[in-house]
PDB file of all heavy atoms in Angstrom:
ATOM      1  N   TYR A   1       3.281   5.861  -8.629  1.00 93.00           N
ATOM      2  CA  TYR A   1       2.935   6.039  -7.187  1.00 93.00           C
ATOM      3  C   TYR A   1       1.505   5.589  -6.937  1.00 93.00           C
ATOM      4  O   TYR A   1       1.264   4.775  -6.043  1.00 93.00           O
ATOM      5  CB  TYR A   1       3.116   7.491  -6.791  1.00 93.00           C
ATOM      6  CG  TYR A   1       2.659   7.820  -5.398  1.00 93.00           C
ATOM      7  CD1 TYR A   1       3.527   7.732  -4.310  1.00 93.00           C
ATOM      8  CD2 TYR A   1       1.354   8.230  -5.124  1.00 93.00           C
ATOM      9  CE1 TYR A   1       3.130   8.015  -3.031  1.00 93.00           C
ATOM     10  CE2 TYR A   1       0.949   8.545  -3.840  1.00 93.00           C
ATOM     11  CZ  TYR A   1       1.856   8.434  -2.806  1.00 93.00           C
ATOM     12  OH  TYR A   1       1.423   8.706  -1.505  1.00 93.00           O
ATOM     13  N   TYR A   2       0.552   6.118  -7.684  1.00 92.00           N
ATOM     14  CA  TYR A   2      -0.816   5.726  -7.481  1.00 92.00           C
ATOM     15  C   TYR A   2      -1.111   4.308  -7.963  1.00 92.00           C
ATOM     16  O   TYR A   2      -1.950   3.603  -7.414  1.00 92.00           O
ATOM     17  CB  TYR A   2      -1.784   6.748  -8.150  1.00 92.00           C
ATOM     18  CG  TYR A   2      -1.928   8.016  -7.360  1.00 92.00           C
ATOM     19  CD1 TYR A   2      -1.299   9.153  -7.708  1.00 92.00           C
ATOM     20  CD2 TYR A   2      -2.760   8.031  -6.215  1.00 92.00           C
ATOM     21  CE1 TYR A   2      -1.430  10.312  -6.965  1.00 92.00           C
ATOM     22  CE2 TYR A   2      -2.906   9.164  -5.460  1.00 92.00           C
ATOM     23  CZ  TYR A   2      -2.250  10.343  -5.863  1.00 92.00           C
ATOM     24  OH  TYR A   2      -2.373  11.453  -5.102  1.00 92.00           O
ATOM     25  N   GLY A   3      -0.438   3.893  -9.066  1.00 92.00           N
ATOM     26  CA  GLY A   3      -0.646   2.556  -9.584  1.00 92.00           C
ATOM     27  C   GLY A   3      -0.264   1.521  -8.542  1.00 92.00           C
ATOM     28  O   GLY A   3      -0.981   0.503  -8.361  1.00 92.00           O
ATOM     29  N   LEU A   4       0.901   1.676  -7.905  1.00 91.00           N
ATOM     30  CA  LEU A   4       1.354   0.691  -6.912  1.00 91.00           C
ATOM     31  C   LEU A   4       0.396   0.713  -5.670  1.00 91.00           C
ATOM     32  O   LEU A   4       0.095  -0.315  -5.117  1.00 91.00           O
ATOM     33  CB  LEU A   4       2.778   1.013  -6.453  1.00 91.00           C
ATOM     34  CG  LEU A   4       3.879   0.756  -7.498  1.00 91.00           C
ATOM     35  CD1 LEU A   4       5.236   1.181  -6.970  1.00 91.00           C
ATOM     36  CD2 LEU A   4       3.912  -0.716  -7.901  1.00 91.00           C
ATOM     37  N   THR A   5      -0.040   1.932  -5.301  1.00 88.00           N
ATOM     38  CA  THR A   5      -0.974   1.980  -4.172  1.00 88.00           C
ATOM     39  C   THR A   5      -2.257   1.264  -4.444  1.00 88.00           C
ATOM     40  O   THR A   5      -2.776   0.494  -3.629  1.00 88.00           O
ATOM     41  CB  THR A   5      -1.246   3.471  -3.829  1.00 88.00           C
ATOM     42  OG1 THR A   5      -0.031   4.156  -3.545  1.00 88.00           O
ATOM     43  CG2 THR A   5      -2.156   3.586  -2.617  1.00 88.00           C
ATOM     44  N   LEU A   6      -2.813   1.502  -5.620  1.00 86.00           N
ATOM     45  CA  LEU A   6      -4.078   0.843  -5.999  1.00 86.00           C
ATOM     46  C   LEU A   6      -3.915  -0.663  -6.159  1.00 86.00           C
ATOM     47  O   LEU A   6      -4.811  -1.431  -5.796  1.00 86.00           O
ATOM     48  CB  LEU A   6      -4.626   1.469  -7.281  1.00 86.00           C
ATOM     49  CG  LEU A   6      -4.978   2.942  -7.244  1.00 86.00           C
ATOM     50  CD1 LEU A   6      -5.429   3.452  -8.579  1.00 86.00           C
ATOM     51  CD2 LEU A   6      -6.061   3.225  -6.197  1.00 86.00           C
ATOM     52  N   ASN A   7      -2.787  -1.095  -6.699  1.00 83.00           N
ATOM     53  CA  ASN A   7      -2.566  -2.526  -6.936  1.00 83.00           C
ATOM     54  C   ASN A   7      -2.236  -3.272  -5.673  1.00 83.00           C
ATOM     55  O   ASN A   7      -2.199  -4.504  -5.680  1.00 83.00           O
ATOM     56  CB  ASN A   7      -1.448  -2.709  -7.971  1.00 83.00           C
ATOM     57  CG  ASN A   7      -1.922  -2.513  -9.416  1.00 83.00           C
ATOM     58  OD1 ASN A   7      -3.080  -2.185  -9.611  1.00 83.00           O
ATOM     59  ND2 ASN A   7      -1.037  -2.713 -10.347  1.00 83.00           N
ATOM     60  N   SER A   8      -1.959  -2.560  -4.580  1.00 81.00           N
ATOM     61  CA  SER A   8      -1.573  -3.278  -3.329  1.00 81.00           C
ATOM     62  C   SER A   8      -2.691  -4.116  -2.836  1.00 81.00           C
ATOM     63  O   SER A   8      -2.408  -5.168  -2.179  1.00 81.00           O
ATOM     64  CB  SER A   8      -1.238  -2.219  -2.247  1.00 81.00           C
ATOM     65  OG  SER A   8      -2.365  -1.431  -1.893  1.00 81.00           O
ATOM     66  N   VAL A   9      -3.945  -3.775  -3.114  1.00 73.00           N
ATOM     67  CA  VAL A   9      -5.073  -4.601  -2.632  1.00 73.00           C
ATOM     68  C   VAL A   9      -5.217  -5.896  -3.414  1.00 73.00           C
ATOM     69  O   VAL A   9      -6.013  -6.715  -3.021  1.00 73.00           O
ATOM     70  CB  VAL A   9      -6.403  -3.782  -2.665  1.00 73.00           C
ATOM     71  CG1 VAL A   9      -6.311  -2.614  -1.749  1.00 73.00           C
ATOM     72  CG2 VAL A   9      -6.699  -3.338  -4.081  1.00 73.00           C
ATOM     73  N   THR A  10      -4.474  -6.062  -4.499  1.00 71.00           N
ATOM     74  CA  THR A  10      -4.526  -7.318  -5.254  1.00 71.00           C
ATOM     75  C   THR A  10      -3.460  -8.322  -4.841  1.00 71.00           C
ATOM     76  O   THR A  10      -3.412  -9.427  -5.340  1.00 71.00           O
ATOM     77  CB  THR A  10      -4.357  -7.023  -6.752  1.00 71.00           C
ATOM     78  OG1 THR A  10      -3.027  -6.504  -6.990  1.00 71.00           O
ATOM     79  CG2 THR A  10      -5.378  -5.997  -7.224  1.00 71.00           C
ATOM     80  N   LEU A  11      -2.547  -7.920  -3.941  1.00 73.00           N
ATOM     81  CA  LEU A  11      -1.496  -8.820  -3.487  1.00 73.00           C
ATOM     82  C   LEU A  11      -2.080  -9.962  -2.656  1.00 73.00           C
ATOM     83  O   LEU A  11      -3.183  -9.845  -2.096  1.00 73.00           O
ATOM     84  CB  LEU A  11      -0.480  -8.040  -2.674  1.00 73.00           C
ATOM     85  CG  LEU A  11       0.341  -6.961  -3.391  1.00 73.00           C
ATOM     86  CD1 LEU A  11       1.196  -6.203  -2.395  1.00 73.00           C
ATOM     87  CD2 LEU A  11       1.204  -7.555  -4.472  1.00 73.00           C
ATOM     88  N   ALA A  12      -1.296 -11.024  -2.543  1.00 68.00           N
ATOM     89  CA  ALA A  12      -1.730 -12.142  -1.730  1.00 68.00           C
ATOM     90  C   ALA A  12      -1.788 -11.686  -0.259  1.00 68.00           C
ATOM     91  O   ALA A  12      -1.003 -10.842   0.209  1.00 68.00           O
ATOM     92  CB  ALA A  12      -0.763 -13.319  -1.858  1.00 68.00           C
ATOM     93  N   GLY A  13      -2.721 -12.250   0.498  1.00 74.00           N
ATOM     94  CA  GLY A  13      -2.861 -11.916   1.867  1.00 74.00           C
ATOM     95  C   GLY A  13      -4.000 -10.924   2.111  1.00 74.00           C
ATOM     96  O   GLY A  13      -4.760 -10.602   1.197  1.00 74.00           O
ATOM     97  N   ASP A  14      -4.081 -10.408   3.341  1.00 83.00           N
ATOM     98  CA  ASP A  14      -5.152  -9.479   3.679  1.00 83.00           C
ATOM     99  C   ASP A  14      -4.942  -8.149   2.948  1.00 83.00           C
ATOM    100  O   ASP A  14      -3.904  -7.517   3.082  1.00 83.00           O
ATOM    101  CB  ASP A  14      -5.149  -9.246   5.198  1.00 83.00           C
ATOM    102  CG  ASP A  14      -6.324  -8.444   5.630  1.00 83.00           C
ATOM    103  OD1 ASP A  14      -6.327  -7.221   5.433  1.00 83.00           O
ATOM    104  OD2 ASP A  14      -7.277  -9.011   6.242  1.00 83.00           O
ATOM    105  N   LYS A  15      -5.936  -7.705   2.183  1.00 86.00           N
ATOM    106  CA  LYS A  15      -5.761  -6.503   1.396  1.00 86.00           C
ATOM    107  C   LYS A  15      -5.653  -5.226   2.246  1.00 86.00           C
ATOM    108  O   LYS A  15      -4.991  -4.285   1.872  1.00 86.00           O
ATOM    109  CB  LYS A  15      -6.934  -6.342   0.392  1.00 86.00           C
ATOM    110  CG  LYS A  15      -8.306  -6.096   1.064  1.00 86.00           C
ATOM    111  CD  LYS A  15      -9.374  -5.894  -0.035  1.00 86.00           C
ATOM    112  CE  LYS A  15     -10.732  -5.613   0.600  1.00 86.00           C
ATOM    113  NZ  LYS A  15     -11.783  -5.469  -0.424  1.00 86.00           N
ATOM    114  N   ASN A  16      -6.271  -5.247   3.413  1.00 90.00           N
ATOM    115  CA  ASN A  16      -6.200  -4.087   4.285  1.00 90.00           C
ATOM    116  C   ASN A  16      -4.787  -3.947   4.854  1.00 90.00           C
ATOM    117  O   ASN A  16      -4.205  -2.856   4.939  1.00 90.00           O
ATOM    118  CB  ASN A  16      -7.194  -4.177   5.432  1.00 90.00           C
ATOM    119  CG  ASN A  16      -8.623  -4.157   4.943  1.00 90.00           C
ATOM    120  OD1 ASN A  16      -8.952  -3.436   4.001  1.00 90.00           O
ATOM    121  ND2 ASN A  16      -9.497  -4.911   5.560  1.00 90.00           N
ATOM    122  N   VAL A  17      -4.190  -5.081   5.257  1.00 90.00           N
ATOM    123  CA  VAL A  17      -2.824  -5.070   5.792  1.00 90.00           C
ATOM    124  C   VAL A  17      -1.849  -4.616   4.698  1.00 90.00           C
ATOM    125  O   VAL A  17      -0.934  -3.809   4.936  1.00 90.00           O
ATOM    126  CB  VAL A  17      -2.425  -6.469   6.334  1.00 90.00           C
ATOM    127  CG1 VAL A  17      -0.941  -6.493   6.691  1.00 90.00           C
ATOM    128  CG2 VAL A  17      -3.279  -6.805   7.518  1.00 90.00           C
ATOM    129  N   ASN A  18      -2.057  -5.133   3.468  1.00 89.00           N
ATOM    130  CA  ASN A  18      -1.197  -4.743   2.322  1.00 89.00           C
ATOM    131  C   ASN A  18      -1.290  -3.265   2.091  1.00 89.00           C
ATOM    132  O   ASN A  18      -0.266  -2.584   1.810  1.00 89.00           O
ATOM    133  CB  ASN A  18      -1.601  -5.516   1.097  1.00 89.00           C
ATOM    134  CG  ASN A  18      -1.270  -7.006   1.186  1.00 89.00           C
ATOM    135  OD1 ASN A  18      -0.347  -7.390   1.917  1.00 89.00           O
ATOM    136  ND2 ASN A  18      -1.953  -7.832   0.447  1.00 89.00           N
ATOM    137  N   PHE A  19      -2.477  -2.714   2.138  1.00 91.00           N
ATOM    138  CA  PHE A  19      -2.655  -1.275   1.928  1.00 91.00           C
ATOM    139  C   PHE A  19      -1.943  -0.495   3.015  1.00 91.00           C
ATOM    140  O   PHE A  19      -1.306   0.560   2.728  1.00 91.00           O
ATOM    141  CB  PHE A  19      -4.126  -0.911   1.860  1.00 91.00           C
ATOM    142  CG  PHE A  19      -4.412   0.536   1.587  1.00 91.00           C
ATOM    143  CD1 PHE A  19      -4.446   1.001   0.290  1.00 91.00           C
ATOM    144  CD2 PHE A  19      -4.619   1.425   2.607  1.00 91.00           C
ATOM    145  CE1 PHE A  19      -4.703   2.327  -0.014  1.00 91.00           C
ATOM    146  CE2 PHE A  19      -4.856   2.772   2.327  1.00 91.00           C
ATOM    147  CZ  PHE A  19      -4.909   3.259   1.040  1.00 91.00           C
ATOM    148  N   ILE A  20      -2.084  -0.911   4.236  1.00 93.00           N
ATOM    149  CA  ILE A  20      -1.397  -0.197   5.337  1.00 93.00           C
ATOM    150  C   ILE A  20       0.130  -0.204   5.157  1.00 93.00           C
ATOM    151  O   ILE A  20       0.797   0.820   5.312  1.00 93.00           O
ATOM    152  CB  ILE A  20      -1.787  -0.844   6.701  1.00 93.00           C
ATOM    153  CG1 ILE A  20      -3.269  -0.628   6.989  1.00 93.00           C
ATOM    154  CG2 ILE A  20      -0.919  -0.286   7.836  1.00 93.00           C
ATOM    155  CD1 ILE A  20      -3.783  -1.407   8.180  1.00 93.00           C
ATOM    156  N   LEU A  21       0.648  -1.371   4.761  1.00 90.00           N
ATOM    157  CA  LEU A  21       2.094  -1.477   4.611  1.00 90.00           C
ATOM    158  C   LEU A  21       2.556  -0.625   3.428  1.00 90.00           C
ATOM    159  O   LEU A  21       3.600   0.061   3.521  1.00 90.00           O
ATOM    160  CB  LEU A  21       2.482  -2.937   4.350  1.00 90.00           C
ATOM    161  CG  LEU A  21       2.294  -3.887   5.506  1.00 90.00           C
ATOM    162  CD1 LEU A  21       2.621  -5.328   5.088  1.00 90.00           C
ATOM    163  CD2 LEU A  21       3.188  -3.480   6.683  1.00 90.00           C
ATOM    164  N   ILE A  22       1.807  -0.585   2.341  1.00 90.00           N
ATOM    165  CA  ILE A  22       2.232   0.123   1.119  1.00 90.00           C
ATOM    166  C   ILE A  22       2.181   1.665   1.347  1.00 90.00           C
ATOM    167  O   ILE A  22       2.864   2.416   0.657  1.00 90.00           O
ATOM    168  CB  ILE A  22       1.346  -0.238  -0.078  1.00 90.00           C
ATOM    169  CG1 ILE A  22       2.053  -0.023  -1.418  1.00 90.00           C
ATOM    170  CG2 ILE A  22       0.027   0.539  -0.066  1.00 90.00           C
ATOM    171  CD1 ILE A  22       3.153  -0.981  -1.687  1.00 90.00           C
ATOM    172  N   THR A  23       1.403   2.073   2.331  1.00 92.00           N
ATOM    173  CA  THR A  23       1.383   3.521   2.673  1.00 92.00           C
ATOM    174  C   THR A  23       2.428   3.880   3.721  1.00 92.00           C
ATOM    175  O   THR A  23       3.056   4.935   3.641  1.00 92.00           O
ATOM    176  CB  THR A  23       0.002   3.960   3.182  1.00 92.00           C
ATOM    177  OG1 THR A  23      -0.384   3.108   4.286  1.00 92.00           O
ATOM    178  CG2 THR A  23      -1.034   3.825   2.080  1.00 92.00           C
ATOM    179  N   LEU A  24       2.668   2.993   4.641  1.00 93.00           N
ATOM    180  CA  LEU A  24       3.658   3.296   5.734  1.00 93.00           C
ATOM    181  C   LEU A  24       5.084   3.345   5.193  1.00 93.00           C
ATOM    182  O   LEU A  24       5.979   3.986   5.776  1.00 93.00           O
ATOM    183  CB  LEU A  24       3.530   2.269   6.864  1.00 93.00           C
ATOM    184  CG  LEU A  24       2.290   2.349   7.730  1.00 93.00           C
ATOM    185  CD1 LEU A  24       2.310   1.286   8.798  1.00 93.00           C
ATOM    186  CD2 LEU A  24       2.170   3.746   8.375  1.00 93.00           C
ATOM    187  N   VAL A  25       5.342   2.632   4.072  1.00 92.00           N
ATOM    188  CA  VAL A  25       6.714   2.642   3.555  1.00 92.00           C
ATOM    189  C   VAL A  25       7.105   4.006   2.985  1.00 92.00           C
ATOM    190  O   VAL A  25       8.266   4.274   2.656  1.00 92.00           O
ATOM    191  CB  VAL A  25       6.913   1.582   2.442  1.00 92.00           C
ATOM    192  CG1 VAL A  25       6.800   0.204   2.982  1.00 92.00           C
ATOM    193  CG2 VAL A  25       5.919   1.797   1.274  1.00 92.00           C
ATOM    194  N   GLU A  26       6.119   4.921   2.850  1.00 91.00           N
ATOM    195  CA  GLU A  26       6.428   6.284   2.400  1.00 91.00           C
ATOM    196  C   GLU A  26       7.168   7.075   3.487  1.00 91.00           C
ATOM    197  O   GLU A  26       7.922   8.010   3.200  1.00 91.00           O
ATOM    198  CB  GLU A  26       5.136   7.050   2.060  1.00 91.00           C
ATOM    199  CG  GLU A  26       4.369   6.441   0.904  1.00 91.00           C
ATOM    200  CD  GLU A  26       3.061   7.179   0.632  1.00 91.00           C
ATOM    201  OE1 GLU A  26       3.049   8.359   0.913  1.00 91.00           O
ATOM    202  OE2 GLU A  26       2.113   6.560   0.157  1.00 91.00           O
ATOM    203  N   ILE A  27       7.008   6.668   4.742  1.00 92.00           N
ATOM    204  CA  ILE A  27       7.587   7.461   5.843  1.00 92.00           C
ATOM    205  C   ILE A  27       9.085   7.447   5.868  1.00 92.00           C
ATOM    206  O   ILE A  27       9.732   8.506   6.022  1.00 92.00           O
ATOM    207  CB  ILE A  27       7.000   6.952   7.205  1.00 92.00           C
ATOM    208  CG1 ILE A  27       5.515   7.231   7.215  1.00 92.00           C
ATOM    209  CG2 ILE A  27       7.724   7.607   8.383  1.00 92.00           C
ATOM    210  CD1 ILE A  27       4.799   6.752   8.494  1.00 92.00           C
ATOM    211  N   PRO A  28       9.771   6.275   5.716  1.00 90.00           N
ATOM    212  CA  PRO A  28      11.254   6.304   5.671  1.00 90.00           C
ATOM    213  C   PRO A  28      11.800   7.223   4.586  1.00 90.00           C
ATOM    214  O   PRO A  28      12.785   7.937   4.821  1.00 90.00           O
ATOM    215  CB  PRO A  28      11.610   4.849   5.411  1.00 90.00           C
ATOM    216  CG  PRO A  28      10.462   4.065   5.889  1.00 90.00           C
ATOM    217  CD  PRO A  28       9.269   4.903   5.623  1.00 90.00           C
ATOM    218  N   GLY A  29      11.167   7.228   3.424  1.00 84.00           N
ATOM    219  CA  GLY A  29      11.649   8.107   2.359  1.00 84.00           C
ATOM    220  C   GLY A  29      11.494   9.545   2.693  1.00 84.00           C
ATOM    221  O   GLY A  29      12.392  10.373   2.403  1.00 84.00           O
ATOM    222  N   ALA A  30      10.368   9.915   3.330  1.00 85.00           N
ATOM    223  CA  ALA A  30      10.133  11.274   3.731  1.00 85.00           C
ATOM    224  C   ALA A  30      11.138  11.776   4.741  1.00 85.00           C
ATOM    225  O   ALA A  30      11.617  12.896   4.694  1.00 85.00           O
ATOM    226  CB  ALA A  30       8.688  11.434   4.254  1.00 85.00           C
TER     227      ALA A  30
END
């Protein structure tokens, strides 16, 4: 869980957008 969250900023594209997306995907599961 934390590893994927931290690694999201290394993905291609804007790191802030990637971080926002990687956190918002928790909502459907909840």
Side-chain angles (χ1 to χ4, degrees):
Y1 175 88
Y2 281 103
L4 290 176
T5 302
L6 298 176
N7 280 3
S8 65
V9 296
T10 66
L11 295 174
D14 188 284
K15 66 178 182 181
N16 296 323
V17 173
N18 290 335
F19 183 84
I20 293 171
L21 293 175
I22 205 72
T23 54
L24 290 180
V25 294
E26 298 178 28
I27 295 178

